[in-house]
Amino acid sequence: MYRLIYQDGDTPQSFTFTTGEVVIGRSPECNVVLKDFGISRQHAKIVVDEDGCRIVDLKSKNGTQVNGVPVVEAPLKDGDRILLGKFQLTFGKSLEGKVVLDEAKPLSEEAGTIIRSVGELSRLLSAGDTAGAAPALAEKKATPADVQELAKSNRILKVLTEFSKTLIATRPVEEVLQQVMDIVFDHVPADRGFLMLHEDGSEKLVPMVVKHRSTPSSGDQARISISKTIADRVIKDRVSILTSDALVDPRFGAGDSIRFHGIRSAMCAPLWNKEQVIGIVHVDSPMLTNCFNLNDLDLLTALANYAAVAVERARLNQRIVAEEKKRERLGRFLSPQVTARIIATSESQSAALGVPEEREVSVLFADIVGFTPLSESMSPAAVALILNDYLSRMTDVIFKYEGTLDKFIGDAIMAVFGAPLDMPDHASRAIRTALEMRERLEEFNAERKEVPHLRIRIGINSGKAVAGEIGSINKKEYTVLGDTVNTASRLESSVAKPMTIVVGENTYAMVKDEFQCRALGAKELKGKEKVVAAFEVEGPLRATAPRPGAASRGA
């Protein structure tokens, strides 16, 4: 079984397969669909047959590489990095099938089996305050049992101290899991073992790491099978289980036990953090009987506890990094309020916001009248100073009404209302934004009496548009496309006069009960076969308070 791992926006994805062909590309018909315009519709395919696994480029535009080498066809091995254009995937052998939870074999609680609650270990560690325990033992006559308990807790605490130093660094979850198993093998006399975690959003256990002290001589030996009853008991009851000799299980004959499990000694412990169990760690020895004792079980249980904490910490770090990247990306074109709402949505909803889709929106274009000749009479530094101040003030107004800053086009501004979040009153918000932009410009001019005053034209149009992240392999930006956008731009550049706000027919129909508008008649616009009815916004019909923050909470 094989696996492809890749990043879809901020979300890691994986695709598991066994035999046959796996087609990778941008087309929805592909087995693995990559939403990237640098990917050809059918970019490459992975073929699995009796000769192994190989990748074949399907005459893609931007090519296929394996470990940095351009290829037309190449064999694949575990850990290979595949580059389709500039989109990276990692190929590996899935651990599914290397670990089997056998439902046939029950848990025997006869002699040779120890079941220990993690609560017992917690009491042992809390009692093992070794700084105070040693003097206390010295004052009274310590029994051999007291000394043994102290030695046990000392050993566990010593290992855990070493463990915590190793895992304190911020690392990806995969590295943490591998280190956990390495440390387990350093302190427990196991021949093989594995670590499984609950799959996100389900109770299914997925193998994450499989480790052997020596290389298995055959594929059958590499396969580890344990009782599903044991795994379920460990998770449900938060207990650790030691089976000293699986061959003496009275419920199975020796032949069956060897054939199905090949285990003489085994331990299984929950990955537990307080009341939460996130997986299990299992170690065993197919060759030695009674190779584990209670001390080993307690140590494995303690290591599993620290491992769970380390895994949760690594997962939290990953979420924080992903959220910071997402917040930084969204903050470039969205208000802090909208950004916070998107961050608060589920991963699936948040990831879908960047996928191009059709939405009902209002698009606003605002342009400074005659800015090019004005800038020719000023130094570049003075132009930058004025423009930065102006654009900052206008952006603040757009964000106040929860609009999306699509882009700056020189001294022009393009803003969208109704994407990426639904906004039933998008037309009203766009007009309120335009009216306040005009007011802010008057304040701007009043503060700069020594320089020529700026004047702006504003055009607004409402309707359907395609909204999403669009661009090249290296750079994508959130934007809207379509006739609605083009018409808004033409209304601003061809119809609007200095310091006026012109809207299209769709926008007027949505706001005619809120704003006083004057009909300008039918206008011929460049690129439009039909004439377009235009209206000039003169102001609100009544003194209604602005309603920033009232947008729909849906995505």
Side-chain angles (χ1 to χ4, degrees), residues 501-518:
I501 302 166
V502 175
V503 302
E505 186 173 6
N506 290 344
T507 308
Y508 170 73
M510 297 174 70
V511 302
K512 61 184 179 181
D513 294 332
E514 293 184 64
F515 298 94
Q516 180 68 47
C517 299
R518 180 172 64 90

Side-chain angles (χ1 to χ4, degrees), residues 394-441:
M394 298 302 108
T395 300
D396 287 345
V397 179
I398 294 168
F399 284 175
K400 175 181 176 180
Y401 291 93
E402 299 191 347
T404 298
L405 177 63
D406 189 296
K407 62 175 66 73
F408 296 129
I409 311 167
D411 59 286
I413 300 172
M414 176 181 169
V416 183
F417 298 81
L421 295 184
D422 289 337
M423 193 177 285
D425 57 344
H426 53 81
S428 175
R429 286 173 178 268
I431 293 178
R432 293 187 185 283
T433 299
L435 290 169
E436 191 164 331
M437 288 173 74
R438 199 165 58 181
E439 292 174 7
R440 292 287 186 93
L441 182 61

Side-chain angles (χ1 to χ4, degrees), residues 169 179 308 394 436 447 483 544:
Q179 282 198 319
M394 298 302 108
E436 191 164 331
E447 295 173 9
D483 183 65
T544 54

Side-chain angles (χ1 to χ4, degrees), residues 452-523:
H453 286 189
L454 301 183
R455 297 183 301 166
I456 59 174
R457 299 185 303 259
I458 299 178
I460 300 172
N461 192 43
S462 305
K464 294 185 181 297
V466 174
E469 290 187 342
I470 296 172
S472 66
I473 300 174
N474 298 323
K475 185 178 181 181
K476 291 183 179 181
E477 292 183 349
Y478 192 91
T479 190
V480 290
L481 304 171
D483 183 65
T484 297
V485 181
N486 298 334
T487 301
S489 177
R490 298 289 185 267
L491 288 171
E492 176 272 308
S493 61
S494 304
V495 182
K497 304 298 182 184
M499 299 304 286
T500 65
I501 302 166
V502 175
V503 302
E505 186 173 6
N506 290 344
T507 308
Y508 170 73
M510 297 174 70
V511 302
K512 61 184 179 181
D513 294 332
E514 293 184 64
F515 298 94
Q516 180 68 47
C517 299
R518 180 172 64 90
L520 300 178
K523 301 293 182 179

